[in-house]
Amino acid sequence: LPYVDYTSTLEHEFIGDKYPLKLNQYAASIAATTDTYTIKYFEIPAAGCLTFMEITDKNYGHSLGFKDGVSAIFINKNNYEEKFEEFLKNPYEEKWTKIAKKGKEHTLKNFNNDTAVESLVSLIKELI
């Protein structure tokens, strides 16, 4: 689509821990992986960027706990153009900022090192 900007990971100076600085340059970003979710599903909302998140039956995106229209905008092959157009009609609408903020809160609360360690400890206790 002509309004989607794509930059390969290694074709910019924002590599590794500088990547959130690149995301901060955008009002919205797309995490679209049909078969399995990737780190983008965490990086984009954690940076406070409105996230258009592909959710399919294959990619387990629903298991991440984001909510459509609350903490991310769910897209799929049938609705992505419609969802992008809705955003582009008024990208400065307050609802987009609220969704981005909720996405950041959800990510930082549920996908941090402390939560990961607690989950791992719980899993180990179940196995013992």
Side-chain angles (χ1 to χ4, degrees):
L1 301 171
Y3 48 77
V4 174
D5 178 25
Y6 174 78
T7 305
S8 177
T9 304
L10 300 178
E11 291 180 8
H12 54 73
E13 63 187 271
F14 302 100
I15 298 170
D17 61 355
K18 293 182 182 178
Y19 184 62
L21 298 174
K22 178 147 182 85
L23 288 171
N24 285 327
Q25 297 175 10
Y26 295 93
S29 189
I30 304 165
T33 54
T34 304
D35 294 326
T36 187
Y37 62 83
T38 65
I39 193 70
K40 299 283 179 236
Y41 286 63
F42 310 108
E43 292 173 329
I44 296 168
C49 198
L50 177 65
T51 308
F52 286 89
M53 189 176 289
E54 183 176 23
I55 302 295
T56 68
D57 292 335
K58 288 181 172 182
N59 74 3
Y60 305 103
H62 285 291
S63 69
L64 301 176
F66 291 94
K67 292 184 173 58
D68 188 24
V70 175
S71 51
I73 304 298
F74 290 1
I75 59 172
N76 58 48
K77 65 181 179 179
N78 299 318
N79 72 2
Y80 70 95
E81 288 185 81
E82 172 188 320
K83 299 278 187 160
F84 295 163
E85 289 294 334
E86 180 185 356
F87 170 73
L88 291 170
K89 283 181 185 172
N90 190 355
Y92 303 106
E93 191 174 337
E94 187 179 350
K95 79 175 187 176
W96 306 124
T97 305
K98 287 180 179 179
I99 295 169
K101 183 179 177 186
K102 288 287 188 187
K104 182 174 184 171
E105 290 171 1
H106 176 76
T107 304
L108 296 180
K109 178 182 175 192
N110 295 292
F111 302 107
N112 60 55
N113 287 340
D114 292 340
T115 303
V117 168
E118 289 171 13
S119 176
L120 183 59
V121 167
S122 176
L123 180 62
I124 290 170
K125 285 180 179 178
E126 284 181 33
L127 295 172
I128 296 181

